[in-house]
């Protein structure tokens, strides 16, 4: 995991970090416009946190939104987000995330 330095302002959709695996590099983009307040030093040292604890310890960046009301209108949320995610997973033949905390077998 590589991240930009904190303190700079970014537009919605801007790249603030990247995640690299053996054969892939992916951009981490901001869901809202804002100032990058912090990057997770633990994720920078151990990228496996992103898989093991994506909703707790594996955070990548923290932003202070600058136009939250406007940007929130552009996000897909609730049932629509769940349906979109399920469609994405089904189209790609991906199963459930069994490596995340809270997954019950």
């Amino acid at each position: 995991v590589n991240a930009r330095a904190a303190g700079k302002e970014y537009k919605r959709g801007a790249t603030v970090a990247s995640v690299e695996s053996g054969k892939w590099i992916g951009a981490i983009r901001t869901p809202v416009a804002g100032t990058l307040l912090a990057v997770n030093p633990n994720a920078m040292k151990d990228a496996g946190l992103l898989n093991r604890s994506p909703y707790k310890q594996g955070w990548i960046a923290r932003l202070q939104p600058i136009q939250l009301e406007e940007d929130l209108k552009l996000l897909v949320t609730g049932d629509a987000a769940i349906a979109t995610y399920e469609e994405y997973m089904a189209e790609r033949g991906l199963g459930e995330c069994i490596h995340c905390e809270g997954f019950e077998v």
Side-chain angles (χ1 to χ4, degrees):
V1 178
N2 295 302
R4 308 248 191 249
K8 186 175 176 190
E9 194 173 286
Y10 293 91
K11 295 179 181 179
R12 186 179 72 78
T15 299
V16 292
S18 62
V19 177
E20 184 175 345
S21 69
K23 297 180 180 181
W24 178 83
I25 298 176
I28 305 300
R29 301 183 185 278
T30 62
V32 298
T35 302
L36 182 59
L37 297 178
V39 295
N40 185 349
N42 295 325
M44 302 302 120
K45 290 184 241 173
D46 178 11
L49 275 177
L50 304 180
N51 289 327
R52 292 191 313 273
S53 185
Y55 302 109
K56 293 181 182 176
Q57 297 175 5
W59 63 274
I60 296 172
R62 291 193 175 139
L63 292 170
Q64 175 65 51
I66 57 174
Q67 57 185 36
L68 187 59
E69 293 297 324
E70 295 169 39
D71 288 344
L72 285 178
K73 293 175 186 174
L74 301 171
L75 296 178
V76 179
T77 61
D79 291 338
I82 292 168
T84 301
Y85 174 74
E86 288 174 344
E87 182 179 316
Y88 175 91
M89 296 293 281
E91 286 175 357
R92 289 157 181 79
L94 303 172
E96 296 173 327
C97 184
I98 61 171
H99 303 291
C100 301
E101 74 268 349
F103 180 81
E104 305 296 345
V105 178

